[in-house]
């Protein structure tokens, strides 16, 4: 996104190897970075999601981090 201004789910999967592109976008959002989604036509003619950075004034630097690993003790119960 920094280099081209936007990225599609197709690019995330084919170029960068993310098997679940929406999860990659969610991880960025959970870090407090505003991301906007819009639709574009993919290489096969179907509509796919594309993403670009949102309004920089909406960055949430105090947001808690995304996924948290539970300790082994919690997982076994």
């Amino acid at each position: 996104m920094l280099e081209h201004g936007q990225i599609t789910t197709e690019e995330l999967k084919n170029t960068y190897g993310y098997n679940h592109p929406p999860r990659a976008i969610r991880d960025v959002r959970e870090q407090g970075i505003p991301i906007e989604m819009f639709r574009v036509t993919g290489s096969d003619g179907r509509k796919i999601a594309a993403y670009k950075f949102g309004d920089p004034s909406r960055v949430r630097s105090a947001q808690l981090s995304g996924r948290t690993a539970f300790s082994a003790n919690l997982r076994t119960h």
Side-chain angles (χ1 to χ4, degrees), residues 2-64:
L2 289 174
E3 193 171 318
H4 302 287
Q6 68 182 40
I7 195 162
T8 66
T9 53
E10 188 173 73
E11 291 169 321
L12 281 168
K13 187 171 185 179
N14 297 337
T15 304
Y16 300 104
Y18 287 99
N19 290 325
H20 196 285
R23 179 173 290 160
I25 295 300
R26 186 185 72 201
D27 289 346
V28 173
R29 283 182 174 144
E30 286 178 348
Q31 293 299 315
I33 308 297
I35 301 287
E36 296 178 8
M37 193 270 296
F38 56 100
R39 296 281 179 187
V40 296
T41 303
S43 62
D44 61 359
R46 294 183 306 151
K47 292 288 187 182
I48 61 172
Y51 304 93
K52 64 181 180 178
F53 287 115
D55 181 1
S57 70
R58 298 191 62 172
V59 171
R60 296 181 311 260
S61 59
Q63 175 148 345
L64 297 174

